[in-house]
Amino acid sequence: EKDGYDHFMLKEIAEQPKAVADTLLGRIGADGRLLLDQMRLSDEELREMDKVVVIACGTAYHAGMVAKYAIEHWTRVPCEVELASEFRYRDPVVGRRTLVVAISQSGETMDTLMALRYAREQGARVLAICNTNGATIPRESDAVFYTYAGPEVAVASTKAFLTQLIACYLVGLYLGQVRGTKWGDEVRSVVRDLSDLPSKVDQVLETMEPVRALARELSTATSVLFVGRHVGFPVALEGALKLKELAYMHAEGFAAAELKHGPIALIEDGVPVVVVVPSPRGRSVLHDKIVSNIQEIRARGARTIVIAEEGDEAVVPYADHIVRVPECPTLLQPVVATVPLQVFACEMASARGFDVDQPRNLAKSVTVE
Ligand code: M6R
């Protein structure tokens, strides 16, 4: 039941720190090494893989986009991510040395299932990342990594998404571990950072009132744009998807630098633009670039809503609203940066009088192709 929350979605947003903690539980050894042998893929098999292909739909696809950045960075194994519905219709290059990762909360999504069957027919090994014990997708896969988000009832995926991100990080780090690539101080410190995430998500949840107020204030907007770079790009896409499916509002996500190649023409006075800003520490080039993107957007009259790390002062002059998230290494930032966008969409849907848990035209799991 809803445990006193108005909607399942609100309850599920609130459950995210626990969902993340549960998904990490038992998967990191005392020495910081990862324990994923329950996956049923041997180290030899993983060492042989020369390519990773992630297939998924909707929100799970956005988790897959983040996986690509993380897996390539940590393992140096080429990683592609593709919408499951497109995958088998384009004669993809997959074979015995391809690890296909199929991400699905329900484990019953027909597009993903058909793509994984195709991949197996081509000889690929398939690893399912799934939230539903014994569902069709994990049953038909060679290996499975379960996320422990618990049942997700609201049609809009929230806690499952955060746990899919965790699963992708763990699988990426594990691949790095067994292949011996980049297994050094950087990866060891990422493992520590992962363990800090549940309390960081908690921190974000405690500061959401201004985001709710902002959603109510913007509830008559006709369009909202979301932009990000690097792993902030899939976060932007996820923010836009949430708003579309819940608030029935035109919303689009862009890679920030693509704006100047066309979409910047959409920006007129007062259009809300949500910008996901990476950490100013570490790869500061990325940060500097997005600060100039915010400047450009603002100069064209947009109302800028900036998701930025605590202490990031560089964004202040160009932000109409700032939503602060705790410090996080860039690759892990989607775990904290997505939360305000979920809250924003949920509140927007309520303010516009729509059914938050059962948006029109949508089902929890899409079992037709
Ligand atoms: O169960 P799955 O993870 O395979 O579902 C995939 C998508 O249908 C799902 O993520 C959908 O996009 C959500 N409604 C988004 O909130």
Side-chain angles (χ1 to χ4, degrees), residues 278-293:
S279 169
R281 299 161 301 118
R283 274 184 250 174
S284 54
V285 196
L286 198 62
H287 179 266
D288 296 350
K289 289 273 185 249
I290 205 147
V291 173
S292 47
N293 295 139

Side-chain angles (χ1 to χ4, degrees), residues 268-324:
E268 50 189 32
D269 254 5
V271 170
V273 181
V274 179
V275 189
V276 184
V277 179
S279 169
R281 299 161 301 118
R283 274 184 250 174
S284 54
V285 196
L286 198 62
H287 179 266
D288 296 350
K289 289 273 185 249
I290 205 147
V291 173
S292 47
N293 295 139
I294 309 175
Q295 255 172 292
E296 291 155 14
I297 299 164
R298 186 91 173 314
R300 283 158 183 85
R303 180 159 173 180
T304 54
I305 302 159
V306 176
I307 316 279
E309 199 171 279
E310 274 152 18
D312 180 353
E313 295 305 318
V315 298
V316 176
Y318 316 109
D320 293 303
H321 308 271
I322 304 187
V323 181
R324 292 291 182 186

Side-chain angles (χ1 to χ4, degrees), residues 57-60 103-107 109 112 155-157 164 241-242 245 364-366:
C57 305
T59 288
I103 311 177
S104 175
Q105 186 285 130
S106 61
T109 298
T112 311
V155 164
S157 186
Q164 284 161 355
L241 176 62
K242 284 282 149 312
E245 70 176 336
K364 182 60 186 162
S365 111
V366 183

Side-chain angles (χ1 to χ4, degrees), residues 52-74 78-84 101-103 129 161 164-165 168-169 226 228-239 241 253-256 258 330-332 334 338:
V52 179
V53 178
V54 185
I55 48 172
C57 305
T59 288
Y61 173 75
H62 299 150
M65 287 178 74
V66 175
K68 175 181 164 68
Y69 289 91
I71 290 175
E72 289 194 342
H73 180 66
W74 290 330
C79 177
E80 295 166 10
V81 51
E82 184 151 15
L83 291 167
V101 179
I103 311 177
I129 292 179
F161 176 66
Q164 284 161 355
L165 293 173
C168 291
Y169 297 139
F226 295 77
R229 297 180 85 107
H230 194 266
V231 291
F233 172 38
V235 172
L237 293 177
E238 177 60 8
L241 176 62
F254 301 103
E258 274 296 297
T330 300
L331 282 169
L332 307 190
T338 305

